[in-house]
Amino acid sequence: MHQRRDLPKTSFEASSSKRIEISNKRRIRTRDKTTSMMAGCTTRCQQGVLKLVQYVQRLFSGSLAKDKSDDDLEMTTVCHRPEALEQLESQTNFCKQELQILYRGFKNECPSGVVNEETFKHIYAQFFPHGDATMYAHYLFNAFDTTKNGSIKFKDFVMGLSILLRGTLKEKLEWTFHLYDINRDGYINREEMTEIVKAIYDMMGKYTHPVLKGDVPQQHVDAFFQKMDKNKDGVVTLDEFVIACQEDEIMMRSMQLFENVM
């Protein structure tokens, strides 16, 4: 019986094989770069939120010593009284003692019981002294201001913190989506994502890498839509966002930044 011997590839076949190999490598590099850029942008965005959460943690640490009667008295001294702690306990993932600590710190920073946008921006500017956090703080403020009345009350604040710190993965992703969805129409479009990316670069300042120049913001936006916009209709829906994030390991790690903060 004759043994089959593989014939040597012709120069055309060898050339075609080489081109396919190079093309595959380029595709992999492009995919990895896309994932890296998108995850990096999301991670920086989450770090921006985390700065606020860590500030809250430092602000409230060591506050457990006060007597409960002091908390009850303090509840009557502000202009905007929060919901009863029992009600907030049922609506959030915080226990009553944690809510008392959170409220005390909130009142110390905001004696009136509400935070307006200018105060929020002033507080946030302290986190990023080498950059300009104005626009990012604006978008973050809107994410907490769920009633859209231009102020953040204690209930708004703890509801947001509850999701970021103790919420399910899906709840955290939904909160992040609404942060990106600037006009609240249920979609993220390219203009909105461009504004978010620019705000993140402005916030990070000179420590941003790569340095903001030329088409870097557009590259981030392109990477975001290449990964998220499954049906290529030019917008990203909540479902597309959640599914794409859940499928990406780097994105999932960025969502773990809030774990064990409080």
Side-chain angles (χ1 to χ4, degrees):
M1 187 171 71
H2 295 291
Q3 290 186 341
R4 179 180 175 182
R5 292 191 303 174
D6 292 332
L7 297 174
K9 290 183 178 180
T10 66
S11 59
F12 175 77
E13 291 173 326
S15 177
S16 297
S17 177
K18 188 67 174 178
R19 283 198 300 269
I20 292 172
E21 182 182 351
I22 292 173
S23 176
N24 288 337
K25 287 182 178 180
R26 284 176 178 168
R27 237 187 341 260
I28 292 172
R29 283 199 299 269
T30 300
R31 182 197 64 196
D32 292 344
K33 181 180 179 182
T34 297
T35 301
S36 177
M37 289 187 71
M38 185 186 68
C41 186
T42 302
T43 300
R44 290 190 188 104
C45 186
Q46 301 291 36
Q47 287 171 339
V49 181
L50 183 63
K51 284 283 187 181
L52 176 64
V53 174
Q54 289 173 334
Y55 172 76
V56 170
Q57 181 191 37
R58 291 194 300 270
L59 194 66
F60 303 154
S61 61
S63 300
L64 282 169
K66 279 198 173 184
D67 186 80
K68 177 182 179 299
S69 60
D70 293 335
D71 290 307
D72 293 339
L73 177 63
E74 287 171 353
M75 285 291 190
T76 66
T77 62
V78 295
C79 300
H80 297 271
R81 294 183 61 189
E83 304 285 340
L85 291 184
E86 290 80 6
Q87 184 176 347
L88 288 176
E89 187 178 6
S90 68
Q91 294 174 332
T92 67
N93 297 310
F94 297 120
C95 68
K96 187 173 182 179
Q97 186 182 45
E98 289 172 325
L99 288 167
Q100 288 172 338
I101 298 170
L102 289 168
Y103 177 72
R104 188 179 301 116
F106 186 86
K107 190 189 75 67
N108 286 341
E109 283 295 297
C110 314
S112 67
V114 297
V115 182
N116 62 33
E117 185 170 341
E118 289 308 309
T119 301
F120 189 84
K121 287 178 179 178
H122 176 73
I123 294 172
Y124 216 80
Q126 302 172 41
F127 308 152
F128 299 94
H130 301 288
D132 181 0
T134 303
M135 287 309 300
Y136 184 84
H138 168 72
Y139 298 134
L140 189 59
F141 179 89
N142 287 341
F144 276 100
D145 179 19
T146 54
T147 57
K148 306 305 170 199
N149 62 0
S151 63
I152 300 175
K153 297 182 176 64
F154 180 66
K155 179 180 179 180
D156 301 324
F157 188 62
V158 294
M159 293 290 282
L161 282 183
S162 176
I163 293 173
L164 290 171
L165 301 181
R166 307 278 175 80
T168 64
L169 175 60
K170 186 175 181 181
E171 288 172 337
K172 292 177 182 178
L173 290 173
E174 288 175 349
W175 194 93
T176 303
F177 177 89
H178 294 308
L179 173 62
Y180 292 169
D181 179 17
I182 297 172
N183 66 6
R184 299 292 186 270
D185 66 350
Y187 304 94
I188 301 173
N189 60 43
R190 285 183 171 271
E191 290 75 16
E192 288 172 321
M193 198 62 211
T194 300
E195 291 301 314
I196 291 290
V197 170
K198 287 181 177 178
I200 293 171
Y201 268 90
D202 288 343
M203 175 180 69
M204 302 304 292
K206 65 181 182 181
Y207 293 107
T208 305
H209 180 79
V211 177
L212 179 58
K213 60 181 180 180
D215 61 349
V216 170
Q218 190 58 49
Q219 289 176 16
H220 278 289
V221 174
D222 290 343
F224 179 88
F225 275 84
Q226 183 176 337
K227 184 77 174 179
M228 299 282 183
D229 186 11
K230 299 295 187 183
N231 62 0
K232 308 304 177 187
D233 63 351
V235 295
V236 175
T237 65
L238 175 59
D239 287 342
E240 287 177 322
F241 182 81
V242 170
I243 292 172
C245 287
Q246 289 176 332
E247 292 175 347
D248 192 283
E249 182 180 351
I250 300 177
M251 295 284 287
M252 288 299 92
R253 285 203 297 268
S254 77
M255 299 306 299
Q256 295 171 1
L257 289 171
F258 304 108
E259 293 183 1
N260 303 317
V261 173
M262 287 184 64

